[in-house]
Amino acid sequence: METGNRYEPYRLIDPDGAAVEPVAVYFQELLAAGKASSTVRSYGMDLLRWWRFLRAVDVPWDRATRREARDLSCWIQQTVKPRKVKAQGPRAVGEAGAANPVPGKPSAGSGYAPATVVHSETVPRRFYDVHRDAGTGPLLNPFPLDLARRSGRAHAHHNPMAGWKPERVGWYWPSLPRRIPRSIPEAWFNKLFAALPSNRDRALVAFWITTGVRASELIGMRQRDVDPGQ
């Protein structure tokens, strides 16, 4: 991956130093759809992984089949995720599923998280959908949809009085664990609140907690966005 310009924020570069044209076309489709540059970069990392895999098995991108997609999905679920090594040595990796005692966030372990596995399947499938519709790619997508979704539209006969059941979309999607909302223990929050140096900071944190806004919303808030009467 290489950083580009405003209209082409990222480029996927081949071993010869040239931009990969099929990926560049897909990036332009994402930008035209209003996707943020961070989204383009995230999608590009998945396509970079897919391109490296195809190069390792010596298969061109437009000749890839369901076999290569299946092998990638098996590989990414079993391989050890590469990590950066800091100056003081590699960081210790906790046991998969072990929760942090403070925020309750479970450790991902040494492999890729299930959400990353899902993303690495979804992005190439959408990439091939774009090129199939444009007539520049294979007619059969190497990353097929789940057989249960091929017969018709999802939730076509959904009862509006019933809840929505999660459905698998990609055929190679792993089972995602159900996420439980996490929270900081009250004792740790009291310790954090007491350590704040000023009443202004305490007011900001209290406002953040009581309203439940996202961090991005709080950071991007301006004075004119607040209505004291409300």
Side-chain angles (χ1 to χ4, degrees):
M1 288 288 293
E2 181 181 89
T3 303
N5 52 45
R6 176 182 178 184
Y7 302 100
E8 192 179 9
Y10 295 100
R11 292 190 294 265
L12 186 62
I13 306 301
D14 63 15
D16 298 327
V20 180
E21 185 62 24
V23 177
V25 172
Y26 180 61
F27 284 174
Q28 290 298 322
E29 292 287 335
L30 294 175
L31 293 173
K35 302 298 184 182
S37 59
S38 58
T39 301
V40 176
R41 182 184 184 279
S42 175
Y43 284 24
M45 298 305 293
D46 288 294
L47 290 176
L48 174 61
R49 187 184 300 116
W50 172 239
W51 238 256
R52 286 175 172 174
F53 182 85
L54 291 178
R55 183 175 177 82
V57 297
D58 195 22
V59 175
W61 76 273
D62 53 352
R63 296 292 182 181
T65 64
R66 183 170 174 175
R67 176 181 178 179
E68 284 73 39
R70 178 200 62 197
D71 291 346
L72 172 69
S73 299
C74 292
W75 170 81
I76 195 174
Q77 294 182 63
Q78 299 176 6
T79 190
V80 175
K81 181 179 180 180
R83 300 179 184 273
K84 293 182 179 181
V85 179
K86 298 183 180 180
Q88 64 271 24
R91 183 180 62 180
V93 178
E95 182 181 355
N100 187 299
V102 179
K105 181 179 180 180
S107 172
S110 59
Y112 287 94
T116 303
V117 178
V118 169
H119 206 257
S120 68
E121 188 272 346
T122 302
V123 172
R125 176 160 42 82
R126 293 178 178 177
F127 164 79
Y128 279 102
D129 281 344
V130 168
H131 283 283
R132 180 199 59 199
D133 295 341
T136 55
L139 295 178
L140 294 179
N141 196 320
F143 295 85
L145 290 174
D146 193 346
L147 296 176
R149 295 288 300 273
R150 292 184 178 181
S151 58
R153 181 173 60 88
H155 303 297
H157 303 287
H158 176 258
N159 182 357
M161 301 298 294
W164 294 91
K165 294 182 178 180
E167 290 195 0
R168 296 178 64 190
V169 178
W171 180 249
Y172 298 118
W173 272 32
S175 299
L176 292 176
R178 185 175 182 180
R179 300 181 61 180
I180 301 176
R182 302 190 305 268
S183 62
I184 300 177
E186 185 175 354
W188 281 93
F189 177 78
N190 293 337
K191 185 177 180 180
L192 169 66
F193 198 80
L196 297 175
S198 65
N199 290 333
R200 173 184 176 275
D201 292 347
R202 296 186 186 95
L204 287 173
V205 172
F207 173 75
W208 187 7
I209 297 299
T210 55
T211 57
V213 298
R214 298 179 179 178
S216 59
E217 296 172 338
L218 182 67
I219 295 174
M221 184 176 296
R222 300 163 295 180
Q223 185 176 5
R224 65 183 182 181
D225 295 333
V226 180
D227 185 359
Q230 297 295 328

